[in-house]
Amino acid sequence: MSGHSTWPEWVYVGVVIALLCYVGAEAWNIERIIEHVPEDAEIIKVTGQQWIWTFEHEDGTKEIGELHVEKGKAYKFEITSKDVIHSFNIHDYVVLLDAVPGRVNTVWFSPTDVGEFDIQCREYCGLIHYNMRGTLIVEDKGA
Amino acid sequence: MVLELQKPRPIWQIMFSTHHTDVGLLYLITSLAFMFMGGALALLLRVELFSPGVQIIADSMTYNRIFTVHGTTLIFLFILPSASAFGNYLVPIMVRFKDMAYPKLNAVAFWMIPPAGALIWLGFADFTWYAYPTYSVISAPGPAADMWIFGLKILGVSSILGSINFVVTIMKCKHPDLPLSKMPLLAWAYLTSSLITLVAVPTFAAALLMLLTDRLGASGFFNPAMGGDPIAYQHLFWFTFHPEVYILVIPAIGFMYEIFPRFSRKPIFSHSSGVAAFTLLTIVGFASWAHHMYATGMSFTEKTVFMVGTLAAVPASAMHTFNFLATMWGGRIKFATPIMWAVGGIALFFSAGAGGVVNSAMPLDFITHDSYWVVGHFHLFVMGTILFGTVGFVYYFFPYVTGRMYSEVLGKVHFILSFVGTVLVFFTQHILGLFGMPRRIYDYPPIPEWVQMNIIISIGAFIIGIGMAIFLVNLIWSSAKGKPADMDDPFGLGGKYYFPYQAKNPSH
Ligand code: HEM
Ligand SMILES: [Cu+2]
Ligand SMILES: [Cu+2]
């Protein structure tokens, strides 16, 4: 060694490792909690295809490009695709999961605000990927 | 250091040469040409995104083709060849051998690049630089897609051959008086990045063949309609390309390990820490590939494993940053153009790493994934760190190759424009991602925040573009008309600092 002390580097590396451990532990814990699906979540089947989203509710009603849900209820999306990989995204509710042909991916959410929110595709899927958009409409049936 | 070009020779003598400095020069010119070409495509994209609606690109397919070729070009035809360029010049000198271990193989590896580049540019595929099935199998238009696959195949073989050459040159041809542990850190960068290449790249080479036979309908590896699994491709792809990001960044870190001690007129703070960080990254870099795939529907356990693997690689990068700053600390720094680029590079490297940690924390990745955040993140590496390190090194190297000095004023203007532009473009893209704008879109709805940020980003991109135009002028003008460099010490650093290696190449 060239005669200088190395302890500042060890301290620095120690601090970096401590921060990373904190981030990792916190992320693990939060993900564990938010992945827990409530028992009473209603199932909505989401199908991506070039370049539209279709939705099927538990009672069999179907919607294209628009999705109506009720404020305060829990919903579980079962997401798949008919052709290429898409990614189902409601950014305002941090819902993001790939629609993969041959697989069903699930994620749940519970809308807290009444109003309209953007639905979009976040995985490149060809010609009209940029406009594979839809609208989530949250209504308040109780009021 | 004698790097030949000062005695002019006809171009074909350089083209048919197998001498390492000639091959290095070919790599350098090719990679810079592709840098300007790929950058020009980026400017087209930024004009189109300047505001909602159609600007200059008539249809989305053209837009999609442009960003695909932009990404492919800059990763495979600029960054990789520019790293090989300096490796060719310097690795033999640093290990004190007369040439690369296999000079003919070396020339072959280089000459695979132009045809591959031609396939990629003449095809102009649209399926993004990662060509995910099933889109790439059932939907992407040929023959562009097939030409891209062949082009990448050739580039993969080229980088494997180049890596074999670096590993053998270092391990077998190194001067017996020079222990591996004392070898310069830039040579360590080539050793480790070449080892990563040899382990990582064959996987993608296999995946490309499977993709091709799938496209031909002869197999269904990735096609669920034929019993295959598209996610399998993503695993093969990222098993290669997460390590590949380290293949790209390690040589740039190596350049900084040359620049900082030289221009700080002080030895590297800790040589052994640099070696340790390179080695650590080489190993741990293989434990994180699926952090690109959290949103494909991975289980909680899988996500956790890859998050931990990703975080485990971060300290290695942090060690480099420390080493650079500690090297500058207390040095007699000469702020010439090369070290300015390197200092800018560390600042952006640090920001990029911090963003990467956010990506790797699984709940946060569902906000950032496939949004403009990710575009900002990896550009802070590929542009902010790698291009900055490389361009700084191009300036540093300029007098040795041409025998002339570049214009210091233009070099500094280029740096300032690039730094300001890079911050404007890629920091803003992080925020735009938080506002939910997906990447790879040709047009977007007029959401006010999106519009404002896209304008800022496009302006930043034009600033970078102006800087790059100045760079081009500086390169061409100075290599013909620049003032002759003092070849004993072109940067006036004081003889013993400017080049510590045995300068004369014994065979010349
Ligand atoms: C501190 C080190 C790093 C960390 C923690 C990190 C983390 C991540 C994570 C988690 C992602 C996935 C984000 C997503 O798609 O949602 C990502 C994407 C990416 N990173 Fe990094 N990264 C690091 C270093 C690098 C380096 C050194 C490079 C390149 C030289 C790089 C290039 C990329 C690229 C190209 C992507 C996006 C690929 C794509 O989707 O097209 N990263 N990074
Ligand atoms: Cu899409
Ligand atoms: Cu990665």
Side-chain angles (χ1 to χ4, degrees):
Chain A
M1 303 256 45
S2 42
H4 55 69
S5 63
T6 51
W7 67 264
E9 181 164 18
W10 287 111
V11 171
Y12 164 81
V13 170
V15 170
V16 170
I17 292 176
L19 279 172
L20 292 171
C21 288
Y22 167 76
V23 170
E26 195 76 339
W28 180 82
N29 194 33
I30 293 174
E31 186 69 15
R32 186 177 59 93
I33 295 167
I34 59 182
E35 280 197 9
H36 181 78
V37 188
E39 305 268 289
D40 60 346
E42 247 180 56
I43 292 174
I44 299 176
K45 292 198 170 117
V46 180
T47 308
Q49 70 192 86
Q50 286 171 325
W51 290 276
I52 47 170
W53 294 108
T54 49
F55 306 97
E56 187 181 331
H57 293 269
E58 254 178 16
D59 62 8
T61 46
K62 288 191 178 168
E63 298 187 80
I64 296 178
E66 276 190 359
L67 174 61
H68 289 80
V69 294
E70 279 175 44
K71 178 183 160 177
K73 269 198 177 174
Y75 295 91
K76 182 170 148 190
F77 294 115
E78 294 185 349
I79 306 165
T80 189
S81 164
K82 277 195 183 156
D83 39 41
V84 306
I85 298 180
H86 305 272
S87 195
F88 178 67
N89 177 219
I90 310 168
H91 187 75
D92 295 310
Y93 282 106
V94 198
V95 171
L96 176 76
L97 205 59
D98 288 355
V100 183
R103 288 198 184 201
V104 178
N105 284 332
T106 57
V107 60
W108 77 279
F109 93 125
S110 174
T112 49
D113 293 303
V114 177
E116 296 194 354
F117 303 90
D118 286 331
I119 293 174
Q120 55 189 11
C121 175
R122 247 174 54 191
E123 184 64 79
Y124 179 71
C125 56
L127 199 61
I128 317 290
H129 164 61
Y130 71 97
N131 204 18
M132 186 169 163
R133 305 182 65 84
T135 312
L136 170 79
I137 298 156
V138 182
E139 290 160 340
D140 195 351
K141 289 273 165 60
Chain B
M1 187 166 44
V2 182
L3 293 171
E4 324 301 301
L5 245 209
Q6 302 147 45
K7 14 181 172 72
R9 280 169 299 159
I11 181 89
W12 51 266
Q13 266 191 23
I14 299 172
M15 288 174 64
F16 293 109
S17 164
T18 58
H19 189 256
H20 69 106
T21 56
D22 291 331
V23 178
L25 183 68
L26 293 172
Y27 266 118
L28 187 59
I29 293 173
T30 311
S31 65
L32 288 175
F34 278 118
M35 184 197 76
F36 287 110
M37 289 162 69
L41 293 184
L43 292 181
L44 292 180
L45 300 176
R46 283 324 312 177
V47 175
E48 180 55 46
L49 291 177
F50 191 85
S51 55
V54 179
Q55 313 300 324
I56 54 162
I57 300 172
D59 61 295
S60 74
M61 190 43 93
T62 311
Y63 179 90
N64 301 339
R65 291 178 189 276
I66 292 175
F67 71 64
T68 300
V69 177
H70 159 77
T72 311
T73 300
L74 287 164
I75 293 175
F76 298 103
L77 300 170
F78 162 56
I79 298 180
L80 285 177
S82 68
S84 302
F86 294 119
N88 268 289
Y89 274 118
L90 287 176
V91 166
I93 293 175
M94 287 183 168
V95 302
R96 294 197 245 146
F97 191 61
K98 60 185 182 336
D99 201 331
M100 294 290 282
Y102 306 116
K104 291 201 188 75
L105 190 70
N106 198 26
V108 169
F110 167 75
W111 283 106
M112 295 176 84
I113 292 174
L119 281 170
I120 290 163
W121 274 73
L122 296 176
F124 241 71
D126 79 302
F127 51 17
T128 86
W129 78 278
Y130 50 53
Y132 279 177
T134 46
Y135 180 75
S136 57
V137 171
I138 63 174
S139 200
D146 310 283
M147 291 167 78
W148 186 94
I149 291 173
F150 275 106
L152 260 84
K153 191 86 206 165
I154 296 172
L155 291 171
V157 176
S158 157
S159 72
I160 289 173
L161 297 181
S163 299
I164 292 174
N165 223 339
F166 282 129
V167 172
V168 177
T169 309
I170 292 170
M171 300 307 286
K172 292 289 167 201
C173 307
K174 183 168 57 57
H175 195 282
D177 289 350
L178 175 73
L180 203 53
S181 59
K182 290 269 163 15
M183 190 170 73
L185 284 172
L186 182 55
W188 267 99
Y190 283 102
L191 179 61
T192 47
S193 66
S194 302
L195 288 172
I196 303 177
T197 305
L198 293 179
V199 180
V201 173
T203 308
F204 182 57
L208 274 176
L209 275 188
M210 293 155 87
L211 200 60
L212 189 68
T213 54
D214 271 16
R215 274 182 67 81
L216 296 171
S219 63
F221 295 111
F222 307 130
N223 187 353
M226 293 172 75
D229 181 3
I231 302 300
Y233 174 89
Q234 298 192 15
H235 279 291
L236 297 175
F237 182 89
W238 288 114
F239 180 81
T240 295
F241 282 99
H242 183 77
E244 177 95 9
V245 306
Y246 298 127
I247 299 171
L248 304 174
V249 88
I250 284 177
I253 300 287
F255 300 153
M256 296 185 190
Y257 274 125
E258 286 295 303
I259 291 173
F260 281 117
R262 243 33 95 240
F263 289 85
S264 307
R265 294 184 262 211
K266 202 172 147 245
I268 289 165
F269 170 74
S270 170
H271 186 275
S272 52
S273 155
V275 171
F278 281 142
T279 313
L280 201 64
L281 206 56
T282 307
I283 299 163
V284 189
F286 281 95
S288 42
W289 78 87
H291 62 213
H292 299 272
M293 300 167 55
Y294 289 148
T296 55
M298 289 201 304
S299 72
F300 179 62
T301 316
E302 283 175 288
K303 280 185 287 200
T304 307
V305 168
F306 285 104
M307 175 183 72
V308 172
T310 306
L311 295 177
V314 178
S317 310
M319 282 162 77
H320 292 304
T321 319
F322 185 88
N323 219 344
F324 294 147
L325 295 178
T327 301
M328 288 169 72
W329 188 267
R332 284 191 302 122
I333 302 171
K334 167 137 189 168
F335 273 106
T337 305
I339 195 173
M340 295 182 79
W341 283 89
V343 171
I346 328 181
L348 298 168
F349 182 53
F350 186 84
S351 330
V357 172
V358 171
N359 288 336
S360 57
M362 16 178 193
L364 298 178
D365 185 63
F366 289 88
I367 303 174
T368 62
H369 178 64
D370 269 343
S371 76
Y372 260 92
W373 172 290
V374 170
V375 183
H377 160 70
F378 73 79
H379 277 91
L380 283 185
F381 283 108
V382 291
M383 167 117 201
T385 313
I386 300 171
L387 184 141
F388 271 53
T390 306
V391 167
F393 211 63
V394 169
Y395 281 115
Y396 174 60
F397 228 66
F398 192 86
Y400 301 118
V401 175
T402 63
R404 295 176 184 277
M405 271 321 264
Y406 57 86
S407 153
E408 190 67 39
V409 175
L410 292 186
K412 285 187 172 136
V413 172
H414 176 203
F415 167 74
I416 291 166
L417 292 176
S418 299
F419 189 78
V420 171
T422 302
V423 168
L424 279 180
V425 174
F426 302 116
F427 282 47
T428 314
Q429 284 186 343
H430 280 78
I431 306 169
L432 182 56
L434 296 180
F435 278 82
M437 177 156 162
R439 63 194 289 201
R440 297 177 171 143
I441 58 175
Y442 161 64
D443 196 9
Y444 53 95
I447 300 168
E449 294 87 353
W450 290 18
V451 178
Q452 286 158 9
M453 282 187 256
N454 273 295
I455 292 174
I456 297 175
I457 294 169
S458 290
I459 291 173
F462 304 148
I463 295 177
I464 296 175
I466 296 169
M468 287 298 170
I470 293 175
F471 183 37
L472 186 60
V473 170
N474 200 353
L475 285 177
I476 294 174
W477 188 84
S478 302
S479 57
K481 297 257 153 65
K483 73 168 188 296
D486 165 11
M487 291 313 288
D488 287 331
D489 185 6
F491 294 94
L493 297 172
K496 78 178 164 124
Y497 296 105
Y498 100 89
F499 203 77
Y501 312 112
Q502 184 192 346
K504 272 249 160 43
N505 206 324
S507 77
H508 280 263

